[in-house]
Structure formats: C-alpha cells, structure tokens
Amino acid sequence: MRRSELEHAIRAATEIIHQDAVFIIGSQAILGSFTEDELPAEATRSEEVDIAPMQDDDAQSLATELDATIGEMSHFHETHGFYVQGVGRDTAVLPAGWADRLVKVSNANTRGRTGLCLEPHDLCVAKLIAGRAKDHLFVGALLKHGLVSREIIAQRLLTVSNDDVRRDRALSLVRSASQI
C-alpha cells in the first residue's frame, strides 16, 4: 500500500459515514508517519486499511457500512486494489495515552478530512498484543530498520492494563531481541 492509497481510503470512508475524521488502527497507520519509500516491504504489504469511525453506535453500524461499501471484494476493492475494513474503536488493545499521540493525515488528497493514525510505537504495541505471525513480522521489520525503539515499545506495553496475559507475552517477545 502507498500513502496516496491511505489518503484515498480516508477520503472515501469519511464521505461514506459523513464524518470529518476517522481512526486508522491497523498496520497501514504506519503510512501516517512514514512514506512507503521509507518503509520495509513487510510494513506495506497489506491491502486493507482498518478504519474506525470517530462516532458509531453500539452495533457499529457505520463500521459495517464501510465494510459493505468499500470493504473486501467490493467494487471499490476490485477497482483500486485495496479496501477498507470497518472496525470498532475497541478493536485494538492500546497503551495508555495513545490518543494523545495520534498522527494526523489531512491534505488535498483527503479533501481536508482527517485520518488519525496510531503512532508507530503504539501501533507496534497493538500488533504485539494481537500476537499473529504477520504482526510479529511487521514489528520485527520496523525494529530491524530502526524505525521504532524496542525500549519505547516495552515501556508502552507496561501501560496496557486490560489484557495481562497477552501483554506479558508481548513484553517477553519485545525484550527478547531474537524472537521478533
């Protein structure tokens, strides 16, 4: 995925749900902080952008609308080669203070609408808590290329309080340089 595609996803999602801003919480949030040219291939491999509406109802109707309109296997996906996965704000387990560190993407390509992307270290925390093999590859690639700090990730993991088991597993991984 490219930064221009992230901007397109922000523009499309905000127009569909009639909001001026959305949260970008999946791996492609990294494009809020770095361009595709600065990133290793493992960091831009995904063709999906996980977007959470700023306001949604308990049934996550707006997230569902994003899936139906510009989600996987939609006309949008077939046309552009990427898609939006509508998600709830609570999809990712995040460290304390994450909302204060969001990275804004707003420009002419987003038509002035805003994508609030997770800061890279917060994104790595969410990925390590999720614990999938693809998430470990993502975080490992960012660490290997010096784009994130192992120490900052560990510090932020310590602030995750709502999932002790996965937090401790992730903390063990990040402290063991050879495992990710």
Side-chain angles (χ1 to χ4, degrees):
M1 179 163 287
R2 304 179 63 76
R3 172 74 179 254
S4 61
E5 293 170 326
L6 172 67
E7 294 165 346
H8 186 175
I10 292 166
R11 182 177 70 243
T14 55
E15 287 177 7
I16 289 166
I17 64 171
H18 306 289
Q19 293 183 16
D20 290 330
V22 290
F23 290 112
I24 314 297
I25 64 171
S27 61
Q28 298 316 307
I30 197 70
L31 289 165
S33 297
F34 302 101
T35 66
E36 62 273 7
D37 298 330
E38 298 171 296
L39 291 164
E42 299 90 342
T44 59
R45 188 170 287 160
S46 178
E47 62 180 30
E48 95 182 43
V49 182
D50 294 331
I51 293 184
M54 296 287 289
Q55 294 94 29
D56 206 347
D57 58 26
D58 289 342
Q60 298 181 346
S61 300
L62 294 176
T64 301
E65 186 174 348
L66 289 174
D67 277 342
T69 309
I70 57 177
E72 189 172 19
M73 296 188 288
S74 66
H75 179 69
F76 182 93
H77 184 194
E78 292 172 9
T79 302
H80 301 291
F82 67 94
Y83 64 95
V84 169
Q85 176 76 51
V87 297
R89 287 181 63 173
D90 60 351
T91 298
V93 176
L94 296 165
W98 67 271
D100 298 328
R101 295 185 291 267
L102 290 166
V103 177
K104 291 181 182 179
V105 174
S106 180
N107 56 40
N109 291 335
T110 66
R111 292 195 184 128
R113 304 277 177 85
T114 303
L116 298 168
C117 299
L118 290 178
E119 184 275 338
H121 295 91
D122 293 334
L123 177 58
C124 287
V125 166
K127 290 294 182 184
L128 290 170
I129 293 289
R132 299 167 297 211
K134 69 178 185 174
D135 298 321
H136 292 169
L137 290 172
F138 177 86
V139 174
L142 295 180
L143 285 165
K144 179 181 174 185
H145 287 85
L147 299 172
V148 292
S149 160
R150 190 176 296 276
E151 294 75 26
I152 293 173
I153 295 169
Q155 289 170 357
R156 295 209 183 146
L157 275 166
L158 289 171
T159 71
V160 171
S161 60
N162 51 344
D163 197 330
D164 294 350
V165 172
R166 290 193 301 168
R167 179 205 58 217
D168 291 348
R169 188 178 307 129
L171 198 51
S172 177
L173 277 172
V174 82
R175 287 180 172 159
S176 170
S178 63
Q179 291 187 12
I180 54 171

